[in-house]
Amino acid sequence: MNLRQLEHLVALADEGSFVKAAARVHLTQSALTRSIQSLEETLGIPLCDRQPRGITLTPGGRLVLERARKALFELRGLERDVRLFNNYELGDLHFGIGPFPAATLLGDALAQLSQAHPGLRIQAAVEDWRTLLQRLRNESLDFVVSTRQAMPESAELDTLLLPAMPCGWFARPAHPIFRERRLKVALLRDLAVACVPIPDDAREALRKVMRYGAADSVNFSVQCNSFEVLRSLAQRADVILCAPLSSVREQLHDGRLQQIVFEDSVGFSTQFAIVHLAHRTLTPIAQKAIDTLIECNRVAMENTAPSLDPAE
């Protein structure tokens, strides 16, 4: 039994004769007769009684017809949904993103995806990098976006690195640091500094930027997974925020935050990575979302004033 045979039975029932049904399904009358006979042999029951003026379905034929209509309806629905799925108009998108890339990319990416594909159901989880990696490995997320240092090198992961993004130090204009005659990076040792939790490799790189000694460790005064909270804190209290430049461009533009440029410190950067399981095929909408995030990263870099040079 196949779907074509079910289509032939539905056409026969609708038209009431082999001649009309054969014309509807673009077959010869003999070919349609063979198809119905084959279906009857497969099911082991007669489906119709042949009469001079047409056909009449048997009780078994009526039972099969009812199920055939439902099966063909579901098939057409499946074909429609697959078309919508492939055109990004239907489906679920689950991805995770770290606090830094969320502050820089998430708002613009969600706006573009929601505007272009209103039928999508999107769940974007903003979590720390450990949680994101665990959920990715549990296959509850299609992909994750995090800092490069947070994602381990592994054969089970496919990793796409985005261009490095300049970072810096930011504080409200009334912060006492701006009253210093000379801005030296050593000032950070005695001031409150806020940052999202970062992996050990990134902390080590930051230690060198801050010119700490080999035995010194970077201990932030405030750590929080919510970058929004940290950004608000830096605007309201004497706390210095360590962040990507693009994540505070609005606050810099309207004067709520001001960049601290230390005369004895080179610029530094962060690099985002988009990671998914190597053995799992991405859905079309997941790939579309990744392409959107890549474009948002490019635009964010273009819109960021080059006041810091990325570290080598």
Side-chain angles (χ1 to χ4, degrees):
M1 179 173 58
N2 56 55
L3 290 172
R4 290 295 296 169
Q5 289 175 322
L6 297 182
E7 290 177 345
H8 296 163
L9 177 63
V10 170
L12 183 60
D14 289 345
E15 300 298 336
S17 76
F18 278 91
V19 174
K20 294 179 180 178
R24 170 171 157 176
V25 297
H26 307 291
L27 290 177
T28 64
Q29 182 177 345
S30 59
L32 178 62
T33 299
R34 289 194 298 272
S35 176
I36 297 298
Q37 289 174 341
S38 175
L39 181 59
E40 289 176 325
E41 292 172 1
T42 299
L43 296 174
I45 57 173
L47 298 175
C48 61
D49 294 324
R50 283 74 168 173
Q51 299 174 352
R53 293 187 177 182
I55 64 96
T56 302
L57 292 181
T58 64
R62 290 193 294 273
L63 171 67
V64 175
L65 175 66
E66 180 182 356
R67 296 297 184 89
R69 290 191 189 279
K70 291 180 179 179
L72 294 173
F73 176 81
E74 290 297 328
L75 175 63
R76 287 191 292 271
L78 174 61
E79 291 172 340
R80 172 186 174 275
D81 287 351
V82 169
R83 287 195 301 271
L84 292 173
F85 181 79
N86 286 330
N87 290 326
Y88 323 121
E89 299 299 335
L90 185 70
D92 296 319
L93 173 64
H94 303 270
F95 70 95
I97 188 165
F100 271 171
T104 304
L105 308 176
L106 185 57
D108 290 340
L110 289 180
Q112 291 186 30
L113 289 168
S114 298
Q115 182 70 20
H117 311 293
L120 282 178
R121 295 181 296 271
I122 304 174
Q123 292 188 18
V126 181
E127 303 276 6
D128 65 273
W129 59 274
R130 292 183 181 89
T131 302
L132 292 178
L133 186 58
Q134 180 180 358
R135 292 189 61 187
L136 180 67
R137 285 174 167 156
N138 291 341
E139 301 193 20
S140 63
L141 297 174
D142 295 314
F143 64 88
V144 302
V145 188
S146 186
T147 55
R148 175 184 58 80
Q149 296 96 331
M151 293 294 109
E153 293 186 7
S154 171
E156 69 173 333
L157 302 176
D158 271 350
T159 302
L160 173 65
L161 296 179
L162 302 182
M165 189 166 289
C167 293
W169 311 97
F170 310 94
R172 61 178 181 167
H175 194 289
I177 195 171
F178 293 114
R179 295 197 293 269
E180 296 288 334
R181 187 171 61 86
R182 301 188 66 180
L183 292 176
K184 298 280 191 176
V185 73
L187 293 170
L188 292 174
R189 295 170 180 257
D190 300 319
L191 297 173
V193 177
C195 187
V196 302
I198 58 176
D200 292 340
D201 288 352
R203 192 179 290 268
E204 174 63 17
L206 197 57
R207 182 189 66 79
K208 295 178 181 178
V209 169
M210 298 172 72
R211 298 197 171 186
Y212 277 28
D216 297 329
S217 60
V218 177
N219 295 312
F220 298 114
S221 302
V222 181
Q223 290 189 89
C224 181
N225 281 329
S226 173
F227 184 79
E228 293 291 339
V229 169
L230 296 181
R231 188 163 52 191
S232 175
L233 175 65
Q235 296 172 59
R236 299 166 59 189
D238 290 336
V239 176
I240 294 173
L241 177 64
C242 175
L245 189 56
S246 59
S247 67
V248 293
R249 62 180 183 268
E250 292 182 8
Q251 289 74 22
L252 293 174
H253 182 266
D254 61 25
R256 284 175 287 166
L257 289 177
Q258 184 174 331
Q259 186 174 355
I260 307 168
V261 181
F262 295 105
E263 60 185 66
D264 60 341
S265 176
V266 297
F268 63 106
S269 64
T270 188
Q271 189 173 24
F272 301 147
I274 300 177
V275 182
H276 67 89
L277 294 178
H279 67 270
R280 181 171 176 175
T281 302
L282 289 171
T283 64
I285 189 55
Q287 186 60 59
K288 179 69 173 180
I290 289 174
D291 293 341
T292 301
L293 287 161
I294 293 172
E295 176 63 14
C296 289
N297 188 81
R298 183 191 66 79
V299 171
M301 294 188 66
E302 288 182 353
N303 292 339
T304 300
S307 54
L308 285 177
D309 295 323
E312 294 294 326

